[in-house]
Amino acid sequence: MFAEKYSRCTGNGGGVAFWMRGVYKGQSSDPKNPGPDDSYPGDRDSGLFGGGVSPADGTVWITGAASKFLVTPNPFNVVCDKRWASTPHTSGINVCLADGSVRHLSAGTDPNTWWAAVTPSNGDLLGSDW
């Protein structure tokens, strides 16, 4: 369901972490003036939730095995990037599963296992490191 993520990365990709926003469904093509069906019209950056392209700054979100989380990135350095889940823990990242349980994924988790867990509807098998 969700993973840890820094609230701010000012390194590569700079700016705030956008996973906490609503879903932009506005009819307007202008992100500064969304349509009336925007899920959170008070937040002019709400299109950033759940991936895709940010209407605010053009950020393209990372998918596939390349989207594996970052471990202990410095939020003020180029190793921090707002497009990835990120954790301050050196051993790995905490994730919450749809059944309400929490799991700690090792920093050594295979990127393909990560992506299989992120996209369960694809029917991919989780690796032995899950």
Side-chain angles (χ1 to χ4, degrees):
M1 292 295 295
F2 56 90
E4 291 182 283
K5 182 156 176 51
Y6 280 12
S7 63
R8 184 165 187 83
C9 282
T10 57
N12 187 22
V16 297
F18 296 126
W19 286 13
M20 74 292 204
R21 310 272 183 166
V23 177
Y24 179 83
K25 302 181 288 185
Q27 297 169 358
S28 170
S29 61
D30 179 1
K32 302 292 183 200
N33 296 297
D37 57 342
D38 189 349
S39 65
Y40 188 59
D43 176 355
R44 300 301 183 225
D45 291 327
S46 62
L48 310 170
F49 177 80
V53 177
S54 160
D57 68 3
T59 299
V60 177
W61 303 101
I62 307 302
T63 60
S67 72
K68 184 185 167 197
F69 57 90
L70 302 175
V71 176
T72 63
N74 180 331
F76 306 104
N77 192 301
V78 295
V79 298
C80 190
D81 193 313
K82 67 184 178 185
R83 299 173 298 170
W84 277 271
S86 49
T87 179
H89 306 293
T90 57
S91 60
I93 193 167
N94 292 314
V95 297
C96 180
L97 306 180
D99 66 0
S101 65
V102 175
R103 181 177 295 236
H104 185 79
L105 299 182
S106 165
T109 300
D110 184 270
N112 292 306
T113 298
W114 165 259
W115 189 243
V118 170
T119 56
S121 64
N122 285 351
D124 299 328
L125 296 176
L126 295 172
S128 60
D129 53 344
W130 180 253

mmCIF file of all heavy atoms in Angstrom, residues 66-121:
data_model
loop_
_atom_site.group_PDB
_atom_site.id
_atom_site.type_symbol
_atom_site.label_atom_id
_atom_site.label_comp_id
_atom_site.label_asym_id
_atom_site.label_seq_id
_atom_site.Cartn_x
_atom_site.Cartn_y
_atom_site.Cartn_z
ATOM 1 N N ALA A 66 13.723 -0.194 -11.789
ATOM 2 C CA ALA A 66 14.521 1.010 -11.516
ATOM 3 C C ALA A 66 13.930 1.855 -10.386
ATOM 4 O O ALA A 66 14.582 2.764 -9.901
ATOM 5 C CB ALA A 66 14.633 1.853 -12.779
ATOM 6 N N SER A 67 12.703 1.546 -9.958
ATOM 7 C CA SER A 67 12.046 2.344 -8.922
ATOM 8 C C SER A 67 12.368 1.892 -7.506
ATOM 9 O O SER A 67 11.805 2.419 -6.554
ATOM 10 C CB SER A 67 10.527 2.296 -9.119
ATOM 11 O OG SER A 67 10.017 1.017 -8.773
ATOM 12 N N LYS A 68 13.277 0.937 -7.348
ATOM 13 C CA LYS A 68 13.592 0.445 -6.002
ATOM 14 C C LYS A 68 13.990 1.595 -5.080
ATOM 15 O O LYS A 68 14.685 2.520 -5.478
ATOM 16 C CB LYS A 68 14.717 -0.586 -6.046
ATOM 17 C CG LYS A 68 14.992 -1.176 -4.671
ATOM 18 C CD LYS A 68 16.168 -2.113 -4.671
ATOM 19 C CE LYS A 68 16.573 -2.406 -3.236
ATOM 20 N NZ LYS A 68 17.896 -2.949 -3.155
ATOM 21 N N PHE A 69 13.569 1.500 -3.848
ATOM 22 C CA PHE A 69 13.764 2.543 -2.839
ATOM 23 C C PHE A 69 15.221 2.927 -2.622
ATOM 24 O O PHE A 69 16.141 2.152 -2.880
ATOM 25 C CB PHE A 69 13.142 2.092 -1.518
ATOM 26 C CG PHE A 69 13.673 0.786 -1.001
ATOM 27 C CD1 PHE A 69 14.767 0.734 -0.156
ATOM 28 C CD2 PHE A 69 13.068 -0.415 -1.358
ATOM 29 C CE1 PHE A 69 15.241 -0.470 0.338
ATOM 30 C CE2 PHE A 69 13.530 -1.628 -0.873
ATOM 31 C CZ PHE A 69 14.622 -1.655 -0.031
ATOM 32 N N LEU A 70 15.406 4.137 -2.110
ATOM 33 C CA LEU A 70 16.727 4.645 -1.748
ATOM 34 C C LEU A 70 16.942 4.460 -0.251
ATOM 35 O O LEU A 70 16.055 4.721 0.547
ATOM 36 C CB LEU A 70 16.830 6.137 -2.080
ATOM 37 C CG LEU A 70 16.599 6.540 -3.528
ATOM 38 C CD1 LEU A 70 16.626 8.061 -3.657
ATOM 39 C CD2 LEU A 70 17.621 5.894 -4.434
ATOM 40 N N VAL A 71 18.117 4.015 0.123
ATOM 41 C CA VAL A 71 18.462 3.811 1.532
ATOM 42 C C VAL A 71 19.388 4.932 1.981
ATOM 43 O O VAL A 71 20.417 5.172 1.363
ATOM 44 C CB VAL A 71 19.136 2.432 1.742
ATOM 45 C CG1 VAL A 71 19.572 2.251 3.182
ATOM 46 C CG2 VAL A 71 18.186 1.326 1.331
ATOM 47 N N THR A 72 19.026 5.606 3.038
ATOM 48 C CA THR A 72 19.748 6.710 3.674
ATOM 49 C C THR A 72 20.297 7.761 2.704
ATOM 50 O O THR A 72 21.455 8.165 2.816
ATOM 51 C CB THR A 72 20.888 6.217 4.591
ATOM 52 O OG1 THR A 72 21.859 5.518 3.821
ATOM 53 C CG2 THR A 72 20.361 5.358 5.708
ATOM 54 N N PRO A 73 19.467 8.244 1.774
ATOM 55 C CA PRO A 73 19.978 9.332 0.937
ATOM 56 C C PRO A 73 20.085 10.612 1.757
ATOM 57 O O PRO A 73 19.330 10.819 2.700
ATOM 58 C CB PRO A 73 18.908 9.475 -0.153
ATOM 59 C CG PRO A 73 17.659 9.011 0.504
ATOM 60 C CD PRO A 73 18.087 7.903 1.438
ATOM 61 N N ASN A 74 21.046 11.432 1.429
ATOM 62 C CA ASN A 74 21.177 12.731 2.074
ATOM 63 C C ASN A 74 20.153 13.655 1.416
ATOM 64 O O ASN A 74 20.215 13.878 0.210
ATOM 65 C CB ASN A 74 22.588 13.269 1.858
ATOM 66 C CG ASN A 74 22.802 14.621 2.498
ATOM 67 O OD1 ASN A 74 21.878 15.404 2.652
ATOM 68 N ND2 ASN A 74 24.041 14.904 2.859
ATOM 69 N N PRO A 75 19.184 14.191 2.160
ATOM 70 C CA PRO A 75 18.148 14.999 1.528
ATOM 71 C C PRO A 75 18.640 16.301 0.921
ATOM 72 O O PRO A 75 17.911 16.950 0.185
ATOM 73 C CB PRO A 75 17.158 15.269 2.663
ATOM 74 C CG PRO A 75 17.939 15.068 3.907
ATOM 75 C CD PRO A 75 18.994 14.052 3.595
ATOM 76 N N PHE A 76 19.875 16.670 1.181
ATOM 77 C CA PHE A 76 20.421 17.900 0.624
ATOM 78 C C PHE A 76 21.558 17.617 -0.349
ATOM 79 O O PHE A 76 22.421 18.446 -0.565
ATOM 80 C CB PHE A 76 20.889 18.816 1.767
ATOM 81 C CG PHE A 76 19.798 19.054 2.759
ATOM 82 C CD1 PHE A 76 19.798 18.421 3.981
ATOM 83 C CD2 PHE A 76 18.739 19.888 2.440
ATOM 84 C CE1 PHE A 76 18.779 18.628 4.889
ATOM 85 C CE2 PHE A 76 17.705 20.095 3.334
ATOM 86 C CZ PHE A 76 17.727 19.467 4.563
ATOM 87 N N ASN A 77 21.543 16.426 -0.927
ATOM 88 C CA ASN A 77 22.626 15.997 -1.804
ATOM 89 C C ASN A 77 22.018 15.382 -3.056
ATOM 90 O O ASN A 77 20.863 14.982 -3.065
ATOM 91 C CB ASN A 77 23.474 14.969 -1.042
ATOM 92 C CG ASN A 77 24.774 14.665 -1.719
ATOM 93 O OD1 ASN A 77 24.799 14.225 -2.850
ATOM 94 N ND2 ASN A 77 25.871 14.894 -1.008
ATOM 95 N N VAL A 78 22.805 15.223 -4.097
ATOM 96 C CA VAL A 78 22.292 14.683 -5.356
ATOM 97 C C VAL A 78 21.860 13.222 -5.258
ATOM 98 O O VAL A 78 21.184 12.732 -6.141
ATOM 99 C CB VAL A 78 23.309 14.844 -6.505
ATOM 100 C CG1 VAL A 78 23.529 16.315 -6.810
ATOM 101 C CG2 VAL A 78 24.611 14.149 -6.193
ATOM 102 N N VAL A 79 22.215 12.513 -4.183
ATOM 103 C CA VAL A 79 21.772 11.119 -4.046
ATOM 104 C C VAL A 79 20.321 11.027 -3.597
ATOM 105 O O VAL A 79 19.746 9.946 -3.575
ATOM 106 C CB VAL A 79 22.668 10.306 -3.091
ATOM 107 C CG1 VAL A 79 24.083 10.245 -3.612
ATOM 108 C CG2 VAL A 79 22.633 10.875 -1.681
ATOM 109 N N CYS A 80 19.703 12.132 -3.224
ATOM 110 C CA CYS A 80 18.297 12.140 -2.839
ATOM 111 C C CYS A 80 17.470 12.555 -4.047
ATOM 112 O O CYS A 80 17.822 13.487 -4.770
ATOM 113 C CB CYS A 80 18.074 13.115 -1.689
ATOM 114 S SG CYS A 80 16.441 12.980 -0.959
ATOM 115 N N ASP A 81 16.393 11.838 -4.296
ATOM 116 C CA ASP A 81 15.559 12.121 -5.456
ATOM 117 C C ASP A 81 14.106 11.893 -5.073
ATOM 118 O O ASP A 81 13.733 10.812 -4.605
ATOM 119 C CB ASP A 81 15.955 11.195 -6.607
ATOM 120 C CG ASP A 81 15.371 11.616 -7.934
ATOM 121 O OD1 ASP A 81 14.157 11.908 -7.991
ATOM 122 O OD2 ASP A 81 16.116 11.629 -8.926
ATOM 123 N N LYS A 82 13.271 12.901 -5.249
ATOM 124 C CA LYS A 82 11.880 12.841 -4.813
ATOM 125 C C LYS A 82 11.059 11.782 -5.532
ATOM 126 O O LYS A 82 9.955 11.465 -5.120
ATOM 127 C CB LYS A 82 11.219 14.203 -4.991
ATOM 128 C CG LYS A 82 11.073 14.617 -6.451
ATOM 129 C CD LYS A 82 10.499 15.998 -6.562
ATOM 130 C CE LYS A 82 10.394 16.431 -8.008
ATOM 131 N NZ LYS A 82 9.959 17.797 -8.133
ATOM 132 N N ARG A 83 11.568 11.217 -6.601
ATOM 133 C CA ARG A 83 10.797 10.240 -7.371
ATOM 134 C C ARG A 83 10.806 8.840 -6.764
ATOM 135 O O ARG A 83 10.044 7.991 -7.177
ATOM 136 C CB ARG A 83 11.326 10.185 -8.799
ATOM 137 C CG ARG A 83 11.192 11.540 -9.505
ATOM 138 C CD ARG A 83 11.853 11.539 -10.844
ATOM 139 N NE ARG A 83 13.291 11.293 -10.692
ATOM 140 C CZ ARG A 83 14.107 11.044 -11.701
ATOM 141 N NH1 ARG A 83 13.650 10.967 -12.925
ATOM 142 N NH2 ARG A 83 15.392 10.859 -11.478
ATOM 143 N N TRP A 84 11.662 8.571 -5.773
ATOM 144 C CA TRP A 84 11.772 7.238 -5.185
ATOM 145 C C TRP A 84 11.273 7.229 -3.749
ATOM 146 O O TRP A 84 11.384 8.226 -3.041
ATOM 147 C CB TRP A 84 13.233 6.785 -5.164
ATOM 148 C CG TRP A 84 13.727 6.204 -6.432
ATOM 149 C CD1 TRP A 84 13.670 4.890 -6.808
ATOM 150 C CD2 TRP A 84 14.387 6.895 -7.494
ATOM 151 N NE1 TRP A 84 14.249 4.736 -8.042
ATOM 152 C CE2 TRP A 84 14.693 5.951 -8.487
ATOM 153 C CE3 TRP A 84 14.743 8.220 -7.703
ATOM 154 C CZ2 TRP A 84 15.331 6.286 -9.667
ATOM 155 C CZ3 TRP A 84 15.368 8.556 -8.874
ATOM 156 C CH2 TRP A 84 15.665 7.588 -9.838
ATOM 157 N N ALA A 85 10.800 6.073 -3.296
ATOM 158 C CA ALA A 85 10.595 5.859 -1.870
ATOM 159 C C ALA A 85 11.975 5.933 -1.229
ATOM 160 O O ALA A 85 12.972 5.565 -1.848
ATOM 161 C CB ALA A 85 9.958 4.491 -1.626
ATOM 162 N N SER A 86 12.042 6.423 0.007
ATOM 163 C CA SER A 86 13.351 6.595 0.635
ATOM 164 C C SER A 86 13.229 6.402 2.141
ATOM 165 O O SER A 86 12.192 6.668 2.737
ATOM 166 C CB SER A 86 13.900 7.990 0.319
ATOM 167 O OG SER A 86 12.927 8.987 0.566
ATOM 168 N N THR A 87 14.312 5.928 2.725
ATOM 169 C CA THR A 87 14.311 5.636 4.156
ATOM 170 C C THR A 87 15.609 6.079 4.811
ATOM 171 O O THR A 87 16.671 5.972 4.204
ATOM 172 C CB THR A 87 14.108 4.122 4.396
ATOM 173 O OG1 THR A 87 14.128 3.873 5.803
ATOM 174 C CG2 THR A 87 15.172 3.289 3.721
ATOM 175 N N PRO A 88 15.528 6.553 6.051
ATOM 176 C CA PRO A 88 16.748 6.892 6.773
ATOM 177 C C PRO A 88 17.396 5.670 7.418
ATOM 178 O O PRO A 88 18.500 5.758 7.932
ATOM 179 C CB PRO A 88 16.243 7.867 7.851
ATOM 180 C CG PRO A 88 14.846 7.419 8.116
ATOM 181 C CD PRO A 88 14.318 6.954 6.784
ATOM 182 N N HIS A 89 16.718 4.521 7.392
ATOM 183 C CA HIS A 89 17.263 3.302 7.995
ATOM 184 C C HIS A 89 18.349 2.708 7.099
ATOM 185 O O HIS A 89 18.153 2.553 5.904
ATOM 186 C CB HIS A 89 16.164 2.264 8.200
ATOM 187 C CG HIS A 89 14.993 2.777 8.964
ATOM 188 N ND1 HIS A 89 15.065 3.136 10.290
ATOM 189 C CD2 HIS A 89 13.720 3.012 8.577
ATOM 190 C CE1 HIS A 89 13.888 3.563 10.687
ATOM 191 N NE2 HIS A 89 13.048 3.506 9.671
ATOM 192 N N THR A 90 19.470 2.354 7.675
ATOM 193 C CA THR A 90 20.553 1.777 6.885
ATOM 194 C C THR A 90 20.270 0.335 6.480
ATOM 195 O O THR A 90 20.805 -0.150 5.492
ATOM 196 C CB THR A 90 21.884 1.824 7.666
ATOM 197 O OG1 THR A 90 21.721 1.154 8.902
ATOM 198 C CG2 THR A 90 22.321 3.260 7.903
ATOM 199 N N SER A 91 19.421 -0.346 7.229
ATOM 200 C CA SER A 91 19.171 -1.767 6.963
ATOM 201 C C SER A 91 18.104 -2.017 5.898
ATOM 202 O O SER A 91 18.006 -3.109 5.357
ATOM 203 C CB SER A 91 18.766 -2.470 8.256
ATOM 204 O OG SER A 91 17.590 -1.881 8.780
ATOM 205 N N GLY A 92 17.275 -1.033 5.605
ATOM 206 C CA GLY A 92 16.206 -1.224 4.625
ATOM 207 C C GLY A 92 15.046 -0.294 4.897
ATOM 208 O O GLY A 92 15.171 0.682 5.639
ATOM 209 N N ILE A 93 13.895 -0.612 4.296
ATOM 210 C CA ILE A 93 12.740 0.282 4.345
ATOM 211 C C ILE A 93 11.524 -0.433 4.933
ATOM 212 O O ILE A 93 11.336 -1.630 4.730
ATOM 213 C CB ILE A 93 12.423 0.807 2.926
ATOM 214 C CG1 ILE A 93 11.437 1.966 2.949
ATOM 215 C CG2 ILE A 93 11.925 -0.315 2.023
ATOM 216 C CD1 ILE A 93 11.347 2.698 1.620
ATOM 217 N N ASN A 94 10.711 0.314 5.661
ATOM 218 C CA ASN A 94 9.457 -0.213 6.188
ATOM 219 C C ASN A 94 8.354 0.036 5.163
ATOM 220 O O ASN A 94 8.242 1.137 4.617
ATOM 221 C CB ASN A 94 9.094 0.470 7.505
ATOM 222 C CG ASN A 94 10.050 0.110 8.605
ATOM 223 O OD1 ASN A 94 10.378 -1.061 8.785
ATOM 224 N ND2 ASN A 94 10.520 1.100 9.346
ATOM 225 N N VAL A 95 7.556 -0.989 4.908
ATOM 226 C CA VAL A 95 6.429 -0.863 3.993
ATOM 227 C C VAL A 95 5.177 -1.398 4.682
ATOM 228 O O VAL A 95 5.258 -2.277 5.534
ATOM 229 C CB VAL A 95 6.662 -1.626 2.664
ATOM 230 C CG1 VAL A 95 7.852 -1.054 1.916
ATOM 231 C CG2 VAL A 95 6.862 -3.114 2.902
ATOM 232 N N CYS A 96 4.035 -0.850 4.330
ATOM 233 C CA CYS A 96 2.755 -1.315 4.853
ATOM 234 C C CYS A 96 2.051 -2.082 3.742
ATOM 235 O O CYS A 96 1.937 -1.593 2.612
ATOM 236 C CB CYS A 96 1.913 -0.131 5.300
ATOM 237 S SG CYS A 96 0.313 -0.633 5.961
ATOM 238 N N LEU A 97 1.590 -3.277 4.057
ATOM 239 C CA LEU A 97 0.907 -4.115 3.080
ATOM 240 C C LEU A 97 -0.605 -3.912 3.174
ATOM 241 O O LEU A 97 -1.109 -3.360 4.152
ATOM 242 C CB LEU A 97 1.277 -5.579 3.317
ATOM 243 C CG LEU A 97 2.781 -5.870 3.342
ATOM 244 C CD1 LEU A 97 3.034 -7.349 3.584
ATOM 245 C CD2 LEU A 97 3.460 -5.407 2.080
ATOM 246 N N ALA A 98 -1.327 -4.353 2.163
ATOM 247 C CA ALA A 98 -2.775 -4.134 2.085
ATOM 248 C C ALA A 98 -3.536 -4.825 3.208
ATOM 249 O O ALA A 98 -4.660 -4.431 3.528
ATOM 250 C CB ALA A 98 -3.294 -4.586 0.732
ATOM 251 N N ASP A 99 -2.944 -5.827 3.837
ATOM 252 C CA ASP A 99 -3.624 -6.504 4.950
ATOM 253 C C ASP A 99 -3.385 -5.793 6.283
ATOM 254 O O ASP A 99 -3.818 -6.257 7.328
ATOM 255 C CB ASP A 99 -3.200 -7.968 5.041
ATOM 256 C CG ASP A 99 -1.730 -8.159 5.399
ATOM 257 O OD1 ASP A 99 -1.000 -7.156 5.590
ATOM 258 O OD2 ASP A 99 -1.307 -9.324 5.471
ATOM 259 N N GLY A 100 -2.700 -4.656 6.246
ATOM 260 C CA GLY A 100 -2.439 -3.877 7.446
ATOM 261 C C GLY A 100 -1.140 -4.230 8.146
ATOM 262 O O GLY A 100 -0.760 -3.572 9.109
ATOM 263 N N SER A 101 -0.452 -5.250 7.670
ATOM 264 C CA SER A 101 0.817 -5.629 8.291
ATOM 265 C C SER A 101 1.940 -4.719 7.783
ATOM 266 O O SER A 101 1.810 -4.045 6.759
ATOM 267 C CB SER A 101 1.144 -7.096 7.982
ATOM 268 O OG SER A 101 1.355 -7.279 6.590
ATOM 269 N N VAL A 102 3.021 -4.706 8.543
ATOM 270 C CA VAL A 102 4.198 -3.925 8.182
ATOM 271 C C VAL A 102 5.360 -4.883 7.995
ATOM 272 O O VAL A 102 5.517 -5.844 8.736
ATOM 273 C CB VAL A 102 4.530 -2.892 9.281
ATOM 274 C CG1 VAL A 102 5.829 -2.160 8.973
ATOM 275 C CG2 VAL A 102 3.391 -1.910 9.443
ATOM 276 N N ARG A 103 6.152 -4.634 6.986
ATOM 277 C CA ARG A 103 7.300 -5.484 6.693
ATOM 278 C C ARG A 103 8.519 -4.592 6.507
ATOM 279 O O ARG A 103 8.424 -3.502 5.948
ATOM 280 C CB ARG A 103 7.030 -6.269 5.413
ATOM 281 C CG ARG A 103 8.156 -7.204 5.022
ATOM 282 C CD ARG A 103 7.770 -7.987 3.800
ATOM 283 N NE ARG A 103 6.646 -8.856 4.124
ATOM 284 C CZ ARG A 103 6.662 -10.177 3.946
ATOM 285 N NH1 ARG A 103 7.726 -10.748 3.452
ATOM 286 N NH2 ARG A 103 5.621 -10.905 4.252
ATOM 287 N N HIS A 104 9.661 -5.071 6.972
ATOM 288 C CA HIS A 104 10.927 -4.366 6.758
ATOM 289 C C HIS A 104 11.638 -5.056 5.604
ATOM 290 O O HIS A 104 11.992 -6.232 5.707
ATOM 291 C CB HIS A 104 11.787 -4.404 8.020
ATOM 292 C CG HIS A 104 13.033 -3.590 7.895
ATOM 293 N ND1 HIS A 104 13.041 -2.222 8.037
ATOM 294 C CD2 HIS A 104 14.305 -3.958 7.625
ATOM 295 C CE1 HIS A 104 14.275 -1.787 7.870
ATOM 296 N NE2 HIS A 104 15.059 -2.824 7.622
ATOM 297 N N LEU A 105 11.813 -4.333 4.502
ATOM 298 C CA LEU A 105 12.522 -4.895 3.348
ATOM 299 C C LEU A 105 13.995 -4.542 3.451
ATOM 300 O O LEU A 105 14.352 -3.379 3.649
ATOM 301 C CB LEU A 105 11.960 -4.343 2.035
ATOM 302 C CG LEU A 105 10.495 -4.641 1.748
ATOM 303 C CD1 LEU A 105 10.104 -4.073 0.391
ATOM 304 C CD2 LEU A 105 10.233 -6.143 1.792
ATOM 305 N N SER A 106 14.829 -5.527 3.287
ATOM 306 C CA SER A 106 16.267 -5.353 3.362
ATOM 307 C C SER A 106 16.756 -4.417 2.265
ATOM 308 O O SER A 106 16.203 -4.370 1.163
ATOM 309 C CB SER A 106 16.951 -6.721 3.192
ATOM 310 O OG SER A 106 18.325 -6.565 2.910
ATOM 311 N N ALA A 107 17.816 -3.681 2.576
ATOM 312 C CA ALA A 107 18.445 -2.818 1.573
ATOM 313 C C ALA A 107 18.899 -3.634 0.368
ATOM 314 O O ALA A 107 18.991 -3.123 -0.743
ATOM 315 C CB ALA A 107 19.623 -2.072 2.186
ATOM 316 N N GLY A 108 19.155 -4.930 0.575
ATOM 317 C CA GLY A 108 19.601 -5.805 -0.501
ATOM 318 C C GLY A 108 18.481 -6.444 -1.302
ATOM 319 O O GLY A 108 18.739 -7.292 -2.154
ATOM 320 N N THR A 109 17.240 -6.052 -1.049
ATOM 321 C CA THR A 109 16.114 -6.607 -1.810
ATOM 322 C C THR A 109 16.346 -6.414 -3.299
ATOM 323 O O THR A 109 16.730 -5.321 -3.742
ATOM 324 C CB THR A 109 14.795 -5.920 -1.392
ATOM 325 O OG1 THR A 109 14.575 -6.148 -0.008
ATOM 326 C CG2 THR A 109 13.620 -6.447 -2.187
ATOM 327 N N ASP A 110 16.124 -7.459 -4.072
ATOM 328 C CA ASP A 110 16.286 -7.384 -5.514
ATOM 329 C C ASP A 110 15.280 -6.383 -6.104
ATOM 330 O O ASP A 110 14.113 -6.395 -5.726
ATOM 331 C CB ASP A 110 16.063 -8.771 -6.121
ATOM 332 C CG ASP A 110 16.303 -8.775 -7.610
ATOM 333 O OD1 ASP A 110 15.329 -8.520 -8.358
ATOM 334 O OD2 ASP A 110 17.436 -9.027 -8.033
ATOM 335 N N PRO A 111 15.714 -5.523 -7.010
ATOM 336 C CA PRO A 111 14.797 -4.555 -7.619
ATOM 337 C C PRO A 111 13.583 -5.204 -8.297
ATOM 338 O O PRO A 111 12.496 -4.621 -8.312
ATOM 339 C CB PRO A 111 15.668 -3.828 -8.647
ATOM 340 C CG PRO A 111 17.054 -3.984 -8.139
ATOM 341 C CD PRO A 111 17.096 -5.334 -7.477
ATOM 342 N N ASN A 112 13.752 -6.390 -8.849
ATOM 343 C CA ASN A 112 12.613 -7.069 -9.481
ATOM 344 C C ASN A 112 11.611 -7.564 -8.445
ATOM 345 O O ASN A 112 10.400 -7.559 -8.693
ATOM 346 C CB ASN A 112 13.101 -8.220 -10.358
ATOM 347 C CG ASN A 112 13.859 -7.708 -11.554
ATOM 348 O OD1 ASN A 112 13.367 -6.877 -12.306
ATOM 349 N ND2 ASN A 112 15.087 -8.162 -11.711
ATOM 350 N N THR A 113 12.092 -7.967 -7.267
ATOM 351 C CA THR A 113 11.200 -8.342 -6.170
ATOM 352 C C THR A 113 10.426 -7.109 -5.716
ATOM 353 O O THR A 113 9.221 -7.166 -5.475
ATOM 354 C CB THR A 113 11.992 -8.939 -4.992
ATOM 355 O OG1 THR A 113 12.646 -10.130 -5.438
ATOM 356 C CG2 THR A 113 11.095 -9.259 -3.819
ATOM 357 N N TRP A 114 11.117 -5.987 -5.595
ATOM 358 C CA TRP A 114 10.467 -4.724 -5.222
ATOM 359 C C TRP A 114 9.332 -4.416 -6.184
ATOM 360 O O TRP A 114 8.210 -4.146 -5.773
ATOM 361 C CB TRP A 114 11.496 -3.598 -5.199
ATOM 362 C CG TRP A 114 10.907 -2.222 -5.173
ATOM 363 C CD1 TRP A 114 10.768 -1.367 -6.230
ATOM 364 C CD2 TRP A 114 10.368 -1.529 -4.045
ATOM 365 N NE1 TRP A 114 10.185 -0.186 -5.830
ATOM 366 C CE2 TRP A 114 9.934 -0.272 -4.485
ATOM 367 C CE3 TRP A 114 10.214 -1.863 -2.706
ATOM 368 C CZ2 TRP A 114 9.352 0.672 -3.639
ATOM 369 C CZ3 TRP A 114 9.637 -0.928 -1.855
ATOM 370 C CH2 TRP A 114 9.208 0.313 -2.318
ATOM 371 N N TRP A 115 9.599 -4.466 -7.472
ATOM 372 C CA TRP A 115 8.573 -4.092 -8.449
ATOM 373 C C TRP A 115 7.420 -5.096 -8.457
ATOM 374 O O TRP A 115 6.260 -4.704 -8.603
ATOM 375 C CB TRP A 115 9.169 -3.944 -9.843
ATOM 376 C CG TRP A 115 8.164 -3.361 -10.798
ATOM 377 C CD1 TRP A 115 7.640 -3.960 -11.901
ATOM 378 C CD2 TRP A 115 7.547 -2.075 -10.718
ATOM 379 N NE1 TRP A 115 6.742 -3.128 -12.505
ATOM 380 C CE2 TRP A 115 6.668 -1.961 -11.798
ATOM 381 C CE3 TRP A 115 7.652 -1.001 -9.830
ATOM 382 C CZ2 TRP A 115 5.888 -0.819 -12.029
ATOM 383 C CZ3 TRP A 115 6.885 0.129 -10.056
ATOM 384 C CH2 TRP A 115 6.020 0.214 -11.133
ATOM 385 N N ALA A 116 7.717 -6.367 -8.261
ATOM 386 C CA ALA A 116 6.651 -7.373 -8.188
ATOM 387 C C ALA A 116 5.742 -7.095 -6.989
ATOM 388 O O ALA A 116 4.516 -7.257 -7.078
ATOM 389 C CB ALA A 116 7.246 -8.774 -8.093
ATOM 390 N N ALA A 117 6.316 -6.641 -5.885
ATOM 391 C CA ALA A 117 5.517 -6.328 -4.699
ATOM 392 C C ALA A 117 4.697 -5.054 -4.898
ATOM 393 O O ALA A 117 3.570 -4.952 -4.430
ATOM 394 C CB ALA A 117 6.421 -6.184 -3.481
ATOM 395 N N VAL A 118 5.261 -4.099 -5.618
ATOM 396 C CA VAL A 118 4.580 -2.833 -5.868
ATOM 397 C C VAL A 118 3.396 -3.013 -6.820
ATOM 398 O O VAL A 118 2.405 -2.299 -6.737
ATOM 399 C CB VAL A 118 5.580 -1.790 -6.433
ATOM 400 C CG1 VAL A 118 4.879 -0.546 -6.939
ATOM 401 C CG2 VAL A 118 6.609 -1.425 -5.367
ATOM 402 N N THR A 119 3.490 -3.976 -7.712
ATOM 403 C CA THR A 119 2.456 -4.174 -8.740
ATOM 404 C C THR A 119 1.882 -5.590 -8.663
ATOM 405 O O THR A 119 2.064 -6.391 -9.585
ATOM 406 C CB THR A 119 3.051 -3.920 -10.137
ATOM 407 O OG1 THR A 119 4.191 -4.775 -10.315
ATOM 408 C CG2 THR A 119 3.472 -2.470 -10.307
ATOM 409 N N PRO A 120 1.156 -5.925 -7.606
ATOM 410 C CA PRO A 120 0.649 -7.286 -7.448
ATOM 411 C C PRO A 120 -0.320 -7.719 -8.546
ATOM 412 O O PRO A 120 -0.426 -8.903 -8.836
ATOM 413 C CB PRO A 120 -0.029 -7.266 -6.079
ATOM 414 C CG PRO A 120 -0.342 -5.839 -5.827
ATOM 415 C CD PRO A 120 0.746 -5.056 -6.517
ATOM 416 N N SER A 121 -0.989 -6.784 -9.166
ATOM 417 C CA SER A 121 -1.955 -7.157 -10.211
ATOM 418 C C SER A 121 -1.279 -7.681 -11.475
ATOM 419 O O SER A 121 -1.930 -8.261 -12.327
ATOM 420 C CB SER A 121 -2.846 -5.967 -10.564
ATOM 421 O OG SER A 121 -2.077 -4.920 -11.114
#
